[in-house]
Amino acid sequence: MSSTRNVKPPVFNPLTGAIRALAMDAVQKANSGHPGAPMGMAEIAEVLWRRHLRHNPANPRWADRDRFVLSNGHGSMLIYALLHLTGYDLSIDDLKAFRQLHSKTPGHPEVGYTPGVETTTGPLGQGITNAVGMALAEKILADTFNRPGHRVVDHHTYVFLGDGCLMEGISHEACSLAGTWGLGKLIAFYDDNDISIDGHVGGWFTDDTPKRFEAYGWHVVCDVQGHDPVEIEAALKAAQAETGRPSLICCKTVIGAGAPNKQGGHDVHGAPLGAAEIEAARAYIGWTHPPFEIPADVYAAWDARTAGAAAEADWNTRFAVYAAEFPELAAEFTRRMAGDLPADWAAHVDAVLAQVTAKGETIATRKASQNSIEAYAPKLPELLGGSADLAGSNLTLWSGAKGVTRSTGGNYVYYGVREFGMAAIANGVSLHGGLIPYTATFLMFSEYARNALRMAALMKVRQIFVFTHDSIGLGEDGPTHQPVEQTASLRLIPNMDVWRPCDTTESAIAWAAAIERREGPSSLAFSRQNLPFQARSAGQIADIRRGGYILSEAGTPAQSAAAQAVIIATGSEVALAMAAQKQLADQGIAVRVVSMPSTNVFDRQDAAYRTSVLPVGVPRVAVEAGVTDGWYKYVGLDGAVIGVDRFGESAPAGELFKYFGITADAVAAAVKKVLA
């Protein structure tokens, strides 16, 4: 792209002045923040939010609202100013509390904190990727529910993004897919201001961005004067008219426009302007009002409540007509957008478990996972599956799977080799509502998706991460593909439930628990190799949902109190624990075997239950084919852990377990050692 900027300066007015003033005053009061993007994008924001965005400030959760994502989340005062001015439940006092503890205006937009914020942004590139997921959800739901003469799902997803988002590799992953899928309801505004934190981007970002997006299959509007409402309006209308391709509107802007001495440089990016520059800016833009004071006529010009209420009322009227003609579809749409499961879900799960236990199959838990999907998916049309080019290995396809295409919706997404993009797109799908996404790759490659996994947990989204090939048990692919520290590190993510089932029953329950969990994501770790079925009582099956339970008691029930030690195991190692228990019993040593498929869930149980499973004063040994450190919280420093504290090797799985000492003999020896 040309190095000549040729940016037309703004014609300042009270409407954009309100954005600029609120941004610079809030950042100054907090003595922290980023005034540059809000001031530089004020005209773009005014055109979109006052003239085009379909939303209702009184009901931020209206199902058919347009979605707006501020991908350059450091510019959070832009969205806070817009939400305040248009009438959301965000007061001027909330803006004064910018970046303060427990405020509704945190440093970066946080979903769940601020009415009208659709997703948490900050890690650059993830906002645009979430937006791709939202647009994908709109496409799928429209294909599912719309009927001739009834467009009950018909909204746009709008994104603001900057140079930083486009530098991040995840933007390439997501935007390439958006073009492939033909997401014509996705419109992104690129704030081309030539600045990032380190200065002018010419030293590290020289991509021809328009050509890159054209190559992705996007409709691109180049060289829009980002401070000229007429040009912005024309570009936006052209984007809305292009229904077969997503659109990128490249807006040339001046960062911090309105700050006469600092605009256009990196000093305005991420620091308060200072009292002197703010005073100069007020004079420069013609804003004569004190900090945090907005005139009534400006509020009135921005107020979107009347138009928003009318737009939602019109949709409600149209939806009522739709419901009269298609009552079952309308009820299903309402259920799914509310995030509710079918009324007979619990009974269905019970029936599935009865079938699973009756079969008693010895199969790989990745196959048990596929069987679970096959059993649950027909009951849950909102399930949206997908895999990062590993569908045949992750076993995430089922008999009713229908791939999403450019021209149709579906219930399965072929993401290609894009683990990070996949996870963040699915976050956006979940945030949109109406769908429950599950995504899949090898457990090892959770590393590529790591920050999106963290964001899922942070945002408390309902998403299911399927990770197969969960240990050195995958064998010959070797240490690059063998997870060692991954299960443990996933358990460390706050609000992430991690399940590592040992057989078909635990797999079915892990899937049910993940589907039912509304307050956060779940990671399910499954084996490549076959694992033996474990017989259980009805009470034991119920206790699986508690994360850890007594799988096999020492001796007979009457002798249960006589357990000399406890063996704790997960996944493929539960079978080793059971074999070790038998060995020790033959030697007159009575041990209890505890299966702990989810440490996270177990830790949330009450103290009495946890103590009933892991009695105080009874020596403990844990076994898991992964790093050992996390297990010492359960076995104590006097206990023992059998695991793998080094990288793997390339060899058949059976040989590897022997080589690394993950055997029944090793577990039995560890028990005897802690009892010595």
Side-chain angles (χ1 to χ4, degrees), residues 115-203:
V117 168
E118 300 282 1
T119 183
T120 299
T121 56
L124 292 174
Q126 288 201 65
I128 174 63
T129 308
N130 294 163
V132 170
M134 294 175 187
L136 175 63
E138 195 272 349
K139 172 189 175 78
I140 292 169
L141 292 170
D143 185 74
T144 301
F145 291 103
N146 289 350
R147 293 294 183 272
H150 299 279
R151 297 192 63 81
V152 296
V153 181
D154 186 13
H155 54 266
H156 284 85
T157 301
Y158 296 103
V159 189
F160 284 2
L161 54 84
D163 294 300
C165 290
L166 294 179
M167 289 184 229
E168 290 284 2
I170 191 174
S171 71
H172 299 251
E173 296 182 22
C175 293
S176 172
L177 277 171
T180 297
W181 294 331
L183 299 180
K185 298 287 191 63
L186 175 64
I187 299 175
F189 293 84
Y190 166 33
D191 182 29
D192 180 10
N193 60 30
D194 195 46
I195 294 291
S196 63
I197 291 176
D198 282 349
H200 291 274
V201 300

Side-chain angles (χ1 to χ4, degrees), residues 282-302:
R282 275 180 153 75
Y284 187 64
I285 69 175
W287 188 261
T288 60
H289 313 287
F292 301 104
E293 183 176 302
I294 307 294
D297 62 331
V298 175
Y299 272 130
W302 272 105

Side-chain angles (χ1 to χ4, degrees), residues 54 64 150-152 311 313-323:
R54 283 175 70 249
D64 201 41
H150 299 279
R151 297 192 63 81
V152 296
D314 174 69
W315 183 85
N316 287 336
T317 299
R318 290 187 287 111
F319 189 80
V321 175
Y322 172 79

Side-chain angles (χ1 to χ4, degrees), residues 18-256:
I19 295 174
R20 290 185 165 99
L22 288 172
M24 62 187 181
D25 289 339
V27 171
Q28 185 69 20
K29 187 175 188 302
N31 196 32
S32 173
H34 298 74
M39 298 177 74
M41 299 190 78
E43 283 75 26
I44 305 170
E46 188 270 333
V47 171
L48 175 63
W49 277 68
R50 286 191 66 247
R51 308 182 199 182
H52 294 275
L53 194 71
R54 283 175 70 249
H55 63 122
N56 183 6
N59 182 15
R61 305 308 300 168
W62 168 32
D64 201 41
R65 69 191 181 278
D66 290 339
R67 272 62 170 178
F68 174 79
V69 174
L70 184 71
S71 191
N72 47 341
H74 52 269
S76 57
M77 266 311 302
L78 176 59
I79 193 170
Y80 298 150
L82 292 166
L83 293 169
H84 171 73
L85 291 168
T86 55
Y88 284 78
D89 182 20
L90 195 69
S91 70
I92 201 70
D93 288 333
D94 291 323
L95 269 59
K96 291 178 181 178
F98 178 55
R99 289 186 162 229
Q100 305 309 300
L101 184 63
H102 301 316
S103 77
K104 293 165 73 173
T105 50
H108 290 80
E110 302 275 354
V111 68
Y113 283 65
T114 316
V117 168
E118 300 282 1
T119 183
T120 299
T121 56
L124 292 174
Q126 288 201 65
I128 174 63
T129 308
N130 294 163
V132 170
M134 294 175 187
L136 175 63
E138 195 272 349
K139 172 189 175 78
I140 292 169
L141 292 170
D143 185 74
T144 301
F145 291 103
N146 289 350
R147 293 294 183 272
H150 299 279
R151 297 192 63 81
V152 296
V153 181
D154 186 13
H155 54 266
H156 284 85
T157 301
Y158 296 103
V159 189
F160 284 2
L161 54 84
D163 294 300
C165 290
L166 294 179
M167 289 184 229
E168 290 284 2
I170 191 174
S171 71
H172 299 251
E173 296 182 22
C175 293
S176 172
L177 277 171
T180 297
W181 294 331
L183 299 180
K185 298 287 191 63
L186 175 64
I187 299 175
F189 293 84
Y190 166 33
D191 182 29
D192 180 10
N193 60 30
D194 195 46
I195 294 291
S196 63
I197 291 176
D198 282 349
H200 291 274
V201 300
W204 49 88
F205 185 53
T206 59
D207 299 16
D208 191 328
T209 295
K211 287 185 178 178
R212 171 151 68 94
F213 275 75
E214 288 172 357
Y216 293 154
W218 285 52
H219 165 244
V220 180
V221 186
C222 300
D223 297 323
V224 175
Q225 289 292 333
H227 301 300
D228 184 343
V230 175
E231 287 203 23
I232 299 165
E233 175 81 11
L236 180 50
K237 286 184 175 178
Q240 292 169 337
E242 176 53 69
T243 59
R245 295 179 292 169
S247 293
L248 180 72
I249 302 172
C250 302
C251 299
K252 289 190 174 296
T253 63
V254 175
I255 191 170

Side-chain angles (χ1 to χ4, degrees), residues 343-662:
D344 59 347
W345 169 253
H348 182 72
V349 172
D350 288 343
V352 170
L353 285 172
Q355 292 175 354
V356 169
T357 55
K359 286 184 178 179
E361 293 178 294
T362 291
I363 54 177
T365 52
R366 65 170 175 165
K367 180 60 180 177
S369 169
Q370 185 179 46
N371 291 347
S372 298
I373 298 169
E374 188 72 48
Y376 294 142
K379 179 63 65 174
L380 295 172
E382 60 264 48
L383 272 185
L384 177 67
S387 175
D389 204 48
L390 287 169
S393 293
N394 299 144
L395 302 187
T396 45
L397 288 167
W398 61 288
S399 61
K402 177 186 176 186
V404 173
T405 71
R406 188 179 188 88
S407 58
T408 66
N411 60 12
Y412 195 87
V413 181
Y414 294 91
Y415 287 99
V417 189
R418 297 181 178 94
E419 295 88 356
F420 193 7
M422 171 181 70
I425 287 170
N427 283 345
V429 169
S430 182
L431 288 162
H432 180 280
L435 297 165
I436 301 175
Y438 67 89
T439 57
T441 186
F442 288 177
L443 178 56
M444 183 66 245
F445 302 129
S446 65
E447 297 293 340
Y448 280 127
R450 177 67 56 160
N451 199 250
L453 304 184
R454 184 179 190 271
M455 293 299 290
L458 179 66
M459 294 190 287
K460 303 177 181 178
V461 301
R462 189 189 223 166
Q463 188 185 166
I464 303 164
F465 301 105
V466 177
F467 298 122
T468 68
H469 299 60
D470 69 344
S471 73
I472 57 172
L474 71 87
E476 292 88 342
D477 280 338
T480 62
H481 284 53
Q482 291 167 3
V484 173
E485 74 276 25
Q486 280 64 42
T487 302
S489 64
L490 288 171
R491 290 174 180 140
L492 293 176
I493 300 175
N495 199 42
M496 175 69 77
D497 278 2
V498 180
W499 291 84
R500 188 168 181 252
C502 76
D503 69 352
T504 55
T505 304
E506 287 191 358
S507 297
I509 287 176
W511 260 103
I515 289 167
E516 293 162 15
R517 189 172 189 237
R518 301 182 62 152
E519 68 277 10
S522 300
S523 291
L524 313 182
F526 298 113
S527 73
R528 179 191 187 190
Q529 72 274 27
N530 290 343
L531 302 181
F533 176 79
Q534 304 292 338
R536 301 171 182 84
S537 68
Q540 288 174 309
I541 292 173
D543 283 344
I544 294 173
R545 284 183 172 270
R546 307 188 76 166
Y549 64 101
I550 302 167
L551 175 63
S552 180
E553 190 56 275
T556 67
Q559 300 171 317
S560 62
Q564 297 166 260
V566 177
I567 303 173
I568 311 167
T570 75
S572 52
E573 289 69 68
V574 168
L576 300 181
M578 294 292 286
Q581 181 194 48
K582 186 177 185 305
Q583 281 189 29
L584 292 164
D586 291 343
Q587 300 171 39
I589 302 171
V591 299
R592 171 185 291 181
V593 174
V594 169
S595 178
M596 196 176 290
S598 179
T599 61
N600 312 96
V601 175
F602 181 77
D603 288 348
R604 292 198 295 269
Q605 305 305 307
D606 60 81
Y609 178 78
R610 297 196 310 272
T611 301
S612 73
V613 175
L614 301 176
V616 176
V618 179
R620 305 168 188 174
V621 172
V623 54
E624 184 174 62
V627 294
T628 60
D629 280 9
W631 287 105
Y632 286 98
K633 70 183 284 187
Y634 302 103
V635 305
L637 296 180
D638 295 326
V641 183
I642 304 298
V644 181
D645 286 315
R646 50 153 290 186
F647 297 122
E649 297 285 350
S650 179
E655 294 182 25
L656 289 173
F657 278 99
K658 292 176 183 177
Y659 178 77
F660 286 105
I662 313 296

